[in-house]
Structure formats: structure tokens, C-alpha cells
Amino acid sequence: MKKLIGCLSGIMILLAAASCVNNKPARNFNNMVDESAVSFVKQGLEVSQTEINASKMAQTTSKNARVINFAQMMIADHAGVNDDLQKIAIANKIAASDSIGAAHQAAITSMANNSGVKFDQAYIQLMINGHQEAIKIFNVAKSDRNEDVQRFARKTLPVLMMHLDSANAIAASLK
């Protein structure tokens, strides 16, 4: 009898433990975070932060009103982009920072070694290159598996394209 009670008690403990395990799949499969979403958030933050840092320098270094106004727009718009990307990162548990890598830092340093019109040209070329890079990243992200990433990419892409058009127009006027 003691063996039977012991055996039944053991079975009950196992059943109780098994019922605590959640074997249900994720509710929203389409919003899962995969490597492409992680990469998008990290790359987006880096490119955007690069543009903010370069634009802050342009605000204080340039003497050209169009360049200064463009830099102010970049700072405001990309601060919003960074905020939205950080929210996506937090919501999807993505470890991301708004620091920039060595290549982007080298581009800013190279730009800073100029003055006058040469500085303006280097800054605008950096903005053109950065926006071309960002547009490629965002075009891919429009089809991402993560719905947050898709929505954000679709919402932000027209703004990035407008920035690129503005930078191209300013570049043409600086020649």
C-alpha cells in the first residue's frame, strides 16, 4: 500500500510539473524577430546616428544657409528615426545601441578635415551616400517578417528619399 501511494504521489507530481510547462507556440508568428530584423534595427540606428553626428558638425562649421538648414532637418528627422528604432528594439528585445562603427566614424573624420565649400561638399556627399545606404536597407525591410519593421520601413522610406533628393539638389548647387 505504501508503494502504491508513493507511486501515485510521484505520478501526481510529474503531472503537476508537466502542466506548468507552456508548449503553446508564439501567438503572433509574423512578428517574430529574426536575424534580418535585428540587422535592420542595428544598421538603421548606425546610419541614422552617423547622419545626426555629421549634421551637428555641419550646423556649427558650414557658412552655407542651405547646408545649415538641411543639417537641422537631418538632426530633427533622424532623432525621430532613432527614437522609433529604439522602440522597435525594446519591443522586440533587440540589444541595439546608437553608436557608430569605425567606417562611419572615419567618414565623419574625413569630412571634418575640410573647410568652406570643401566641407559642405564632403558633408553633402556623406549625406548622399548615407541615404543611398539607408534606402537600400529600408527597401529590404519593407518585406521583413517582423510587422513592426515592415510598418516602420514603409513609413520612413519616403522621408529618406526626400532627404536624398534634397541632398542631391544641394550638391548640384555647390559645384
Side-chain angles (χ1 to χ4, degrees):
M1 187 60 131
K2 286 183 181 181
K3 285 185 181 181
L4 180 61
I5 292 174
C7 188
L8 288 175
S9 296
I11 290 173
M12 288 176 63
I13 290 172
L14 286 174
L15 287 174
S19 69
C20 292
V21 175
N22 183 0
N23 289 327
K24 293 181 183 176
R27 276 193 210 159
N28 189 355
F29 183 76
N30 289 332
N31 216 28
M32 291 181 63
V33 177
D34 58 9
E35 197 56 41
S36 65
V38 171
S39 177
F40 169 75
V41 169
K42 289 181 177 183
Q43 287 179 316
L45 281 168
E46 182 175 350
V47 170
S48 190
Q49 190 60 48
T50 300
E51 292 173 4
I52 290 170
N53 292 358
S55 295
K56 285 179 179 178
M57 188 178 297
Q59 268 189 310
T60 59
T61 304
S62 181
K63 305 292 184 241
N64 184 310
R66 281 185 79 185
V67 171
I68 293 169
N69 290 335
F70 180 79
Q72 290 169 337
M73 180 177 67
M74 291 298 95
I75 293 166
D77 289 355
H78 284 280
V81 167
N82 277 4
D83 288 345
D84 290 344
L85 282 170
Q86 288 289 359
K87 288 175 187 170
I88 291 171
I90 291 166
N92 291 281
K93 296 179 176 80
I94 299 171
S97 72
D98 58 1
S99 62
I100 61 175
H104 286 123
Q105 186 57 53
I108 291 174
T109 301
S110 175
M111 174 193 78
N113 290 330
N114 295 294
S115 61
V117 174
K118 291 285 186 202
F119 173 86
D120 293 341
Q121 290 171 329
Y123 166 68
I124 292 298
Q125 190 58 52
L126 182 64
M127 293 299 101
I128 290 170
N129 295 344
H131 281 86
Q132 288 172 337
E133 180 182 353
I135 288 168
K136 286 178 190 172
I137 293 167
F138 278 69
N139 270 320
V140 171
K142 287 189 316 184
S143 305
D144 196 271
R145 195 168 125 187
N146 183 288
E147 291 173 358
D148 292 338
V149 168
Q150 282 180 20
R151 259 191 310 277
F152 177 71
R154 288 185 180 131
K155 175 186 94 171
T156 308
L157 195 55
V159 175
L160 296 175
M161 293 168 82
M162 185 268 303
H163 289 171
L164 178 60
D165 289 344
S166 295
N168 282 324
I170 294 170
S173 74
L174 294 173
K175 293 184 178 180

